Amino acid sequence: MRYTSQQIGLMIRDTRKKLGVTQKDLALTSGTGLRFVIDLERGKETCEIGKALRVLQTLGIKLTLTLPATTTATTTTATTKKED
C-alpha cells in the first residue's frame, strides 16, 4: 500500500493520542522538537526522514519496505533498536 505524507501524519497523531502522549512529550522522548512533531502530524512532505523514523520507533509503529521484484530479497522490515 502507498501512503501520502498526510496519511502517515494522521497515523502518527492517532497513535500518539491513543497512547495518551502529548506532542511535547513525544518530541522530548523521540529527541525531536515540538515544531517537528506538529509538522509531521500535519503531513509536511519535507520533514527529515531520520527524525520521522525516530518518532515512528518511539510510538512503536513499524515500517515495512518492499523491494522491487527484480531483487533477490522481496520484503524487508525496517526495525530500529531503541538506544538507552
Side-chain angles (χ1 to χ4, degrees):
M1 179 170 221
R2 187 175 174 154
Y3 294 102
T4 66
S5 58
Q6 289 78 19
Q7 290 170 318
I8 293 170
L10 287 174
M11 283 185 226
I12 291 169
R13 186 183 69 198
D14 291 345
T15 302
R16 176 184 59 76
K17 286 185 173 188
K18 286 178 185 175
L19 293 172
V21 177
T22 66
Q23 288 176 325
K24 183 178 179 180
D25 288 339
L26 178 57
L28 290 170
T29 305
S30 63
T32 63
L34 176 59
R35 178 83 251 158
F36 178 81
V37 171
I38 292 167
D39 288 345
L40 186 61
E41 288 186 356
R42 288 184 178 166
K44 184 177 179 183
E45 293 181 2
T46 58
C47 285
E48 291 180 47
I49 187 73
K51 289 181 181 180
L53 291 173
R54 285 201 313 260
V55 169
L56 293 172
Q57 176 190 1
T58 300
L59 292 172
I61 299 172
K62 291 186 179 181
L63 175 67
T64 301
L65 303 173
T66 303
L67 300 174
T70 58
T71 61
T72 55
T74 55
T75 303
T76 301
T77 301
T79 56
T80 54
K81 192 173 186 180
K82 188 173 182 179
E83 295 180 21
D84 294 322

